[in-house]
Amino acid sequence: ECGGDCSAIHEDLTEMDAAPILTIYSSPYAFAAQRADGSLLTWGDPDSGGDSTRVCEALQSSRVERVFSTDDAFAAISSGERQLITWGDPASGGDSSSVRSCSSVVNVAATRSSFAALKQDGTVSCWGDPLSGGKAAQEVQDQLVGVTKLQATRAAFAALKQDGSVVCWGDAKHG
């Protein structure tokens, strides 16, 4: 159940008429394989991102550029409008519906159970487990403008701003 058995999608992985697999992404419990056409196949623990049925249509119809993972969820950036597509355990970032705008995303950082998305306008949105950075306090959120880079530890985020300052949030023991 943790990704070691791909027999359920073996035919999809070896289908000769389909676009070839270019790369494989992983979480501790699941895998996502990206085809040359940008579509994804997932397998592994269904509760930890191995089941992408909820977003299957979006994953097949969008050209996925990059994939990121927490311990129990995945986030993908699609090309074009650079939309976020998330799946897996909602408590670990598998549901980004609470994020106001999931478009114009240029990068994503991940802790063990939260994601933070850097948008083209330099703002940051975060979701997932509040104890590991999935929710920034309002005073922190107000500072997440003019951001140029995101980094993460297991349970905290750091954002580098254009002015050279750094904003951190999440579990203080982890950064």
Side-chain angles (χ1 to χ4, degrees):
E1 253 193 39
C2 293
D5 179 8
C6 62
S7 60
I9 64 160
H10 183 265
E11 285 185 28
D12 293 327
L13 290 172
T14 58
E15 186 179 341
M16 297 307 287
D17 293 334
I21 303 289
L22 291 183
T23 191
I24 299 174
Y25 300 96
S26 67
S27 73
Y29 304 103
F31 291 102
Q34 184 176 9
R35 292 191 179 281
D37 65 5
S39 64
L40 289 180
L41 298 168
T42 61
W43 70 97
D45 183 346
D47 297 325
S48 299
D51 179 2
S52 58
T53 305
R54 182 177 55 82
V55 295
C56 184
E57 187 175 314
L59 290 176
Q60 299 307 317
S61 64
S62 300
R63 181 167 178 79
V64 171
E65 287 188 5
R66 294 179 65 193
V67 177
F68 308 86
S69 66
T70 63
D71 283 358
D72 295 306
F74 288 93
I77 301 174
S78 69
S79 62
E81 293 182 16
R82 306 194 58 78
Q83 289 283 118
L84 269 177
I85 305 167
T86 56
W87 69 97
D89 181 3
S92 292
D95 180 1
S96 58
S97 63
S98 65
V99 177
R100 276 186 228 116
S101 170
C102 290
S103 61
S104 301
V105 175
V106 295
N107 199 14
V108 173
T111 65
R112 68 177 169 227
S113 55
S114 299
F115 290 107
L118 175 59
K119 298 178 199 168
Q120 194 169 14
D121 66 1
T123 61
V124 174
S125 294
C126 50
W127 67 98
D129 180 3
L131 298 176
S132 66
K135 182 167 177 57
Q138 190 60 50
E139 62 192 40
V140 172
Q141 192 66 51
D142 291 345
Q143 297 176 60
L144 293 175
V145 294
V147 174
T148 60
K149 188 169 186 166
L150 286 174
Q151 290 292 337
T153 64
R154 276 191 59 69
F157 292 102
L160 176 63
K161 295 178 60 168
Q162 290 171 335
D163 65 8
S165 63
V166 175
V167 179
C168 299
W169 71 99
D171 186 336
K173 293 185 297 189
H174 291 270

